[in-house]
Amino acid sequence: MFKSIQESPLYALANSESMAFFGASNNITSMGTNLLMSVQAMGFEGKIYPVHPKEDTVLGTRAYQDVKDIPEVPDLAVVVLPTRIVNETLEACGTFGIRNVIVVSGGFKEVGGGGVARERVLVDIVTKYDMSLLGPNCLGVANPHHKLNTTFIPYEGPPGFIGLASQSGSLITQLFDYLARLGLGFSTAFSVGNEATTDLVDCMEYLGACPHTKVIALYIEGIKRGRTFMEAARSIVPHKPIVAFYIGGSEAGKRAGFSHTGAMAGPDGLYDGLFRQSGIIRARSVTELFDFCWLLGSARIPEGRKVVIQTHSGGPGAAAADSCGRAGLDLPGLSRATLDKLAPFVPGTGSVNNPVDLTFSKNPQDFFSRIPEILIEDENTDVLMIYFLTPWQVVQRVMIQAGVSPEQAVKEGEKIVAQQCEQMARLMRDQDKPIVGFSFRSPEEPSIKGLLSRGVPVFPGPERAAKAIQALTAYGRIRERFGLNG
Amino acid sequence: MFKSIQESPLYALANSESMAFFGASNNITSMGTNLLMSVQAMGFEGKIYPVHPKEDTVLGTRAYQDVKDIPEVPDLAVVVLPTRIVNETLEACGTFGIRNVIVVSGGFKEVGGGGVARERVLVDIVTKYDMSLLGPNCLGVANPHHKLNTTFIPYEGPPGFIGLASQSGSLITQLFDYLARLGLGFSTAFSVGNEATTDLVDCMEYLGACPHTKVIALYIEGIKRGRTFMEAARSIVPHKPIVAFYIGGSEAGKRAGFSHTGAMAGPDGLYDGLFRQSGIIRARSVTELFDFCWLLGSARIPEGRKVVIQTHSGGPGAAAADSCGRAGLDLPGLSRATLDKLAPFVPGTGSVNNPVDLTFSKNPQDFFSRIPEILIEDENTDVLMIYFLTPWQVVQRVMIQAGVSPEQAVKEGEKIVAQQCEQMARLMRDQDKPIVGFSFRSPEEPSIKGLLSRGVPVFPGPERAAKAIQALTAYGRIRERFGLNG
């Protein structure tokens, strides 16, 4: 593990202050142009030097006919050129002194035949000039903390705490909006492409040392350096959790039929063992990958697997209990002391078993403050799971019926919701046990959005929450096993 | 099975033309008042007669001191009164001639002790007057096709094709918005409560005969009439699929700890057998319950389990292949004829294996028309799975960069998106094989919403799509087994 992130060969690349850009033009349907538009859309604060044989300006920025015409040596070169001129361009960049390159162009090892030889030449050039390389055949890097995004789709949402190293570039771009809707974002996401020189392990090590990254996600189609991968992971997991989604089977097998028998069965078991020995938590889908990262990056690690469920709706409470059971979590009863403290808050229709079903709360604010506080303080509670019903319309409807104007009802409703969300966020900060929410309402609804934007995890559905809690407890055990606990 | 839905004892109740309402007042925090507000919010077209001992009007509607003061005999009585006066109110309703009642009030069998005797009296009254009853301890019915909703939360979205019988009332209310976001809705949803006289089986039979209902969802905490349940289901499933989510364990066991061991293990296996013998498809979560209903109600039943995946993003395509493998689906290769037809549409960077990864489409419209058409016509294709990447912002960005004004770009973008969605919906209608979409983008984004609102299922994530396809193929086998195929 690096002592500091600056030691990573990817540091200068992911934090470049200036870039030469090859392959963008004023033709807005070209790939290169679209990538440069993403760079501009993110508001990259360094200098951008488009290189173009004919144009004077590209997308409004002064262009240079040749790399050596650029008035300084840029930190980074992004190359989105036709395959046949990529290597000569890299050679020119190397001569000029550029030491970090992202090669987006494909047509190398992944196409076989002449592509293999072409990639060998590329590696020779990169090695000769001691360059750090992402690719070829990748989408580069999205580091929103640095306002850098070289991928095809504009970055959405705030910078976040999830670091990603991915063997699919397009997948990264598909997740910007997905994460933003959950109040999440990337710290840095790497598309590794063919991994000609730097690979998944290098990215993992970078993210291990990255101060913005609280948890590392890996999207894996196949690992090259098995032993190094394991060693790197083992040095990181005592400090920072790693979650991997392995799509199974070889690239060849996958493309040529991808039956779930044969091809997958072998490697799948192999990878299972590799992840276990590395202290890596395995996800079974893209959704799980980011659900696990979400909770691992935002909640405390619980002492054990005893979950108390707070609800005011019977069905969702029961469904949550069922999901916890299936995820190997326990549902303890509440202590005598807790029951006594709880009594004044629970109406006759409620139940103080676990799930704690409050039905109607006498005072809705209690649901966000005193009640969860009492429940989480129970000695039997390791994790508190809360169902958010969000009676947003009901709140408004009641107010309108009471004579408040519709506009005023929206305003008053928003104030109440903000207060409730704030109370819940404070409770989460003050407690050293994890609080995990779930709901069937839209993450775009004010009351859910208010929680998400304050860092309270609210999963769409109890089964996703329960599986994420399972991952959280798994990480607790991994930390014990790998030698750091606190 | 009923020959017509009018034979169901629940028909008059769920399609009432007038109602007496007990327990609403002008106190807007009371439960009864909120239920009446939901009835009003839905725009119920029949007469509403609030009964209140003191008020002249309730929520703006003329109130009556006593049921016998009402100028006609209403079809339905909704009772949200304190427990101790429920039975005398039912007696009065019976005497007056009302033959359908929803008892929302709790405090009966579910509380044990005196509640058990109280429920026995209630049943005697209901039997004496030959009433149809939902409850006690329920939320009644939501029949949006009839603009009737007696539950606590206003109905959202359009009427739909999913029929629900639920042993949790609050769950129903939590799903209005959830389904609406996916372009779905209930045909009719019943909250059965304590099932004092009518139960899950009655609701299932109603929904089996209901012309608006294409698929039946059951939320089950425990079944009473096992044999009748099975017989009813077996008579329905050849015509209409049934999906059940059983939350496991007895009510008692669930409330008093609900460990996933012991209590659950026995009944769970039992229910598994019951569902299998009944031809019912089992869901393992609320999400799965409605995912399965979604696809079963909107897609053709495939001949087999061979799935062809169309994508223009490698990672999501591979993740879909992985999900299909895990769900027991096969990924066939394409026929020679298909490859020939496809060739002009696939750029050099693409792959015509399965997943078919188009990367860049030369003409984006092809992705929604000619390409899926070619793929679905392949003799090896049973199901076509399509990844929707929705380059909504990218479309706009490109247009703006081309000199189109931002407002115009939005308008043009919407037109293009509407066209694409329409093409896809038409393809789905014209083909006799199912088309199943998936995406990581928000269902609220124009391009996804456009598909959903036109009835094209687009699942949030490939694993949910793959599991729903699995349920679809399972139903094909059930239909064969239970004697109706076509």
Side-chain angles (χ1 to χ4, degrees):
Chain A
M1 226 182 64
F2 304 123
K3 287 216 178 63
S4 108
I5 190 173
Q6 280 81 359
E7 292 174 39
S8 164
L10 287 164
Y11 180 77
L13 186 150
N15 296 274
S16 298
E17 305 277 357
S18 53
M19 71 172 80
F21 203 104
F22 297 83
S25 64
N26 295 307
N27 168 10
I28 50 168
T29 63
S30 96
M31 179 78 169
T33 308
N34 273 277
L35 262 63
L36 182 54
M37 284 197 264
S38 282
V39 172
Q40 291 177 331
M42 181 106 232
F44 180 66
E45 289 168 345
K47 288 289 282 179
I48 303 172
Y49 304 103
V51 180
H52 195 281
K54 295 189 210 99
E55 304 281 3
D56 286 337
T57 64
V58 165
L59 302 179
T61 300
R62 174 167 174 201
Y64 298 83
Q65 278 212 322
D66 197 293
V67 63
K68 60 182 189 298
D69 301 336
I70 299 174
E72 61 169 323
V73 177
D75 289 343
L76 172 68
V78 181
V79 180
V80 203
L81 293 170
T83 312
R84 62 185 163 72
I85 54 169
V86 168
N87 282 342
E88 62 191 68
T89 304
L90 287 184
E91 182 68 50
C93 287
T95 312
F96 192 57
I98 298 176
R99 291 296 168 259
N100 302 284
V101 285
I102 292 170
V103 178
V104 175
S105 315
F108 292 85
K109 205 175 60 190
E110 83 281 8
V111 298
V116 179
R118 201 175 293 123
E119 185 156 318
R120 222 175 291 131
V121 174
L122 180 147
V123 170
D124 286 345
I125 299 168
V126 163
T127 309
K128 182 169 71 180
Y129 291 108
D130 196 21
M131 285 164 154
S132 287
L133 166 77
L134 272 182
N137 188 29
C138 77
L139 285 179
V141 64
N143 177 0
H145 291 279
H146 189 64
K147 298 193 183 169
L148 173 62
N149 172 28
T150 69
T151 75
F152 182 62
I153 306 266
Y155 188 83
E156 290 166 81
F161 59 72
I162 299 174
L164 171 66
S166 173
Q167 287 179 332
S168 161
S170 54
L171 184 78
I172 298 179
T173 66
Q174 302 301 292
L175 296 165
F176 294 155
D177 160 73
Y178 176 83
L179 293 178
R181 269 180 287 139
L182 303 173
L184 301 172
F186 286 120
S187 51
T188 294
F190 292 104
S191 159
V192 295
N194 291 2
E195 304 175 274
T197 58
T198 54
D199 65 2
L200 268 187
V201 178
D202 297 302
C203 296
M204 190 163 73
E205 290 182 313
Y206 174 95
L207 297 168
C210 167
H212 297 301
T213 301
K214 289 192 191 170
V215 55
I216 299 171
L218 304 175
Y219 170 89
I220 298 173
E221 299 190 352
I223 289 172
K224 290 172 175 179
R225 300 188 283 158
R227 178 147 300 278
T228 326
F229 176 88
M230 193 167 80
E231 283 164 6
R234 292 173 75 120
S235 75
I236 293 169
V237 295
H239 311 275
K240 203 177 274 191
I242 305 177
V243 187
F245 172 46
Y246 169 58
I247 63 115
S250 67
E251 182 68 11
K254 196 182 71 219
R255 294 202 165 265
F258 201 88
S259 157
H260 60 118
T261 59
M264 260 186 73
D268 208 63
L270 218 85
Y271 276 82
D272 226 34
L274 175 66
F275 293 144
R276 211 172 31 250
Q277 287 176 55
S278 308
I280 290 176
I281 296 160
R282 184 168 183 183
R284 298 284 169 179
S285 64
V286 173
T287 310
E288 276 193 13
L289 178 63
F290 290 98
D291 279 359
F292 294 180
C293 286
W294 186 3
L295 202 55
L296 282 161
S298 56
R300 319 267 180 181
I301 306 304
E303 293 271 320
R305 61 180 81 189
K306 296 201 294 294
V307 179
V308 170
I309 299 167
Q310 172 185 327
T311 182
H312 43 179
S313 188
D322 182 64
S323 295
C324 285
R326 286 180 202 286
L329 304 168
D330 297 326
L331 273 76
L334 302 174
S335 74
R336 191 65 253 166
T338 301
L339 293 176
D340 290 343
K341 282 189 274 180
L342 215 51
F345 298 96
V346 183
T349 47
S351 157
V352 290
N353 290 309
N354 185 11
V356 179
D357 184 357
L358 300 158
T359 60
F360 256 91
S361 312
K362 291 167 186 170
N363 175 1
Q365 296 303 107
D366 293 336
F367 192 85
F368 296 85
S369 52
R370 197 59 197 123
I371 295 168
E373 197 173 24
I374 292 170
L375 291 176
I376 208 165
E377 282 168 356
D378 191 304
E379 57 193 12
N380 289 326
T381 306
D382 291 325
V383 180
L384 179 60
M385 198 168 164
I386 304 182
Y387 178 61
F388 292 104
L389 179 134
T390 16
W392 172 237
Q393 307 145 289
V394 173
V395 165
Q396 283 183 78
R397 188 177 61 173
V398 166
M399 283 192 293
I400 291 166
Q401 203 75 43
V404 175
S405 74
E407 302 76 44
Q408 197 62 21
V410 170
K411 232 187 257 172
E412 286 295 316
E414 276 170 358
K415 217 194 292 175
I416 293 173
V417 162
Q419 217 170 59
Q420 291 172 341
C421 295
E422 198 44 64
Q423 277 177 313
M424 189 51 72
R426 194 177 320 127
L427 186 66
M428 205 176 110
R429 279 192 300 274
D430 292 350
Q431 295 290 339
D432 53 8
K433 296 176 186 176
I435 294 177
V436 183
F438 70 103
S439 181
F440 291 112
R441 313 253 351 150
S442 168
E444 276 139 283
E445 188 163 327
S447 44
I448 301 297
K449 201 176 180 141
L451 291 165
L452 295 174
S453 67
R454 286 171 178 84
V456 180
V458 182
F459 287 86
E463 69 282 0
R464 284 175 60 180
K467 281 190 181 168
I469 294 171
Q470 184 184 28
L472 203 61
T473 63
Y475 182 58
R477 293 193 298 278
I478 286 167
R479 269 216 307 204
E480 273 175 36
R481 209 174 98 217
F482 287 85
L484 186 99
N485 200 356
Chain B
M1 223 182 64
F2 304 125
K3 284 216 182 60
S4 107
I5 190 170
Q6 281 81 358
E7 292 175 38
S8 164
L10 288 165
Y11 181 77
L13 185 150
N15 296 275
S16 299
E17 305 276 358
S18 53
M19 70 171 80
F21 203 105
F22 298 84
S25 65
N26 296 309
N27 168 10
I28 49 167
T29 64
S30 96
M31 178 78 167
T33 309
N34 273 277
L35 262 63
L36 183 53
M37 284 198 263
S38 282
V39 173
Q40 292 178 330
M42 180 106 232
F44 180 66
E45 288 168 346
K47 287 288 283 177
I48 303 171
Y49 303 103
V51 180
H52 194 280
K54 294 192 208 98
E55 305 282 2
D56 287 338
T57 63
V58 166
L59 301 181
T61 300
R62 178 172 167 194
Y64 298 82
Q65 278 213 321
D66 197 293
V67 63
K68 60 180 188 300
D69 300 338
I70 297 175
E72 62 170 323
V73 177
D75 290 342
L76 172 68
V78 180
V79 182
V80 202
L81 293 168
T83 312
R84 60 185 166 71
I85 55 170
V86 168
N87 281 341
E88 62 190 69
T89 304
L90 286 184
E91 183 67 50
C93 286
T95 311
F96 191 58
I98 298 177
R99 292 295 170 260
N100 301 285
V101 285
I102 291 169
V103 178
V104 176
S105 315
F108 292 85
K109 207 176 59 191
E110 83 281 7
V111 299
V116 179
R118 201 175 293 123
E119 185 155 318
R120 225 176 286 130
V121 174
L122 179 146
V123 169
D124 287 345
I125 298 168
V126 164
T127 310
K128 181 168 70 180
Y129 292 108
D130 196 19
M131 284 166 155
S132 287
L133 165 77
L134 271 182
N137 187 31
C138 76
L139 286 179
V141 64
N143 177 359
H145 291 279
H146 190 64
K147 297 193 182 168
L148 173 62
N149 172 28
T150 69
T151 75
F152 181 65
I153 304 267
Y155 188 82
E156 290 165 81
F161 59 71
I162 300 175
L164 171 67
S166 173
Q167 286 178 334
S168 161
S170 54
L171 184 76
I172 297 178
T173 66
Q174 302 301 291
L175 295 166
F176 295 156
D177 160 71
Y178 177 82
L179 293 178
R181 269 180 287 136
L182 303 174
L184 301 172
F186 285 121
S187 52
T188 294
F190 292 104
S191 158
V192 295
N194 290 3
E195 304 176 273
T197 59
T198 54
D199 65 1
L200 268 188
V201 178
D202 296 302
C203 296
M204 191 164 69
E205 290 182 313
Y206 173 96
L207 296 170
C210 167
H212 296 301
T213 301
K214 289 193 192 170
V215 55
I216 299 172
L218 304 175
Y219 170 89
I220 298 173
E221 298 190 350
I223 289 172
K224 289 172 176 178
R225 301 188 283 157
R227 178 146 300 277
T228 325
F229 175 88
M230 194 166 78
E231 284 163 5
R234 292 173 76 118
S235 76
I236 293 169
V237 294
H239 311 275
K240 205 176 272 190
I242 305 177
V243 187
F245 173 46
Y246 169 59
I247 64 116
S250 67
E251 183 68 10
K254 195 182 73 219
R255 294 201 166 268
F258 200 87
S259 157
H260 60 116
T261 59
M264 259 185 74
D268 207 64
L270 220 83
Y271 276 82
D272 227 34
L274 175 66
F275 293 144
R276 211 171 31 246
Q277 287 175 55
S278 308
I280 290 176
I281 296 160
R282 185 167 184 185
R284 299 283 170 178
S285 66
V286 173
T287 310
E288 275 192 14
L289 178 62
F290 291 98
D291 278 358
F292 293 0
C293 287
W294 185 5
L295 202 55
L296 282 161
S298 56
R300 319 268 179 177
I301 307 303
E303 293 272 318
R305 61 181 81 189
K306 296 202 293 297
V307 180
V308 169
I309 300 167
Q310 172 185 327
T311 182
H312 43 178
S313 188
D322 182 63
S323 296
C324 284
R326 286 181 201 287
L329 304 168
D330 297 326
L331 273 76
L334 302 175
S335 74
R336 190 66 253 167
T338 302
L339 293 176
D340 289 343
K341 282 190 272 180
L342 215 51
F345 298 96
V346 183
T349 47
S351 157
V352 290
N353 290 309
N354 185 9
V356 179
D357 184 357
L358 301 159
T359 61
F360 255 92
S361 312
K362 291 167 187 168
N363 174 2
Q365 295 303 106
D366 293 336
F367 193 85
F368 296 85
S369 52
R370 198 56 199 124
I371 294 167
E373 199 174 20
I374 292 170
L375 291 176
I376 208 165
E377 282 169 358
D378 190 303
E379 58 192 13
N380 289 326
T381 306
D382 291 324
V383 180
L384 179 61
M385 197 170 167
I386 303 181
Y387 179 61
F388 292 105
L389 178 135
T390 18
W392 172 237
Q393 308 145 288
V394 173
V395 166
Q396 281 184 79
R397 188 178 60 173
V398 167
M399 284 192 293
I400 290 167
Q401 202 75 43
V404 175
S405 74
E407 303 75 43
Q408 196 63 19
V410 169
K411 231 186 259 172
E412 287 295 314
E414 276 170 358
K415 216 194 294 175
I416 293 173
V417 161
Q419 217 170 58
Q420 292 172 340
C421 296
E422 200 42 65
Q423 277 177 314
M424 190 51 73
R426 194 176 321 127
L427 187 66
M428 205 176 110
R429 277 193 302 273
D430 293 349
Q431 295 290 338
D432 54 5
K433 298 176 185 176
I435 295 177
V436 183
F438 71 101
S439 181
F440 292 112
R441 312 252 355 149
S442 168
E444 276 140 283
E445 186 162 328
S447 43
I448 302 297
K449 201 176 182 142
L451 290 164
L452 296 173
S453 67
R454 286 172 177 84
V456 181
V458 182
F459 287 85
E463 67 282 2
R464 284 175 61 181
K467 280 189 181 168
I469 294 172
Q470 184 184 29
L472 203 61
T473 63
Y475 181 58
R477 292 192 299 276
I478 286 168
R479 268 215 310 203
E480 272 175 37
R481 209 174 96 214
F482 287 85
L484 186 99
N485 198 357

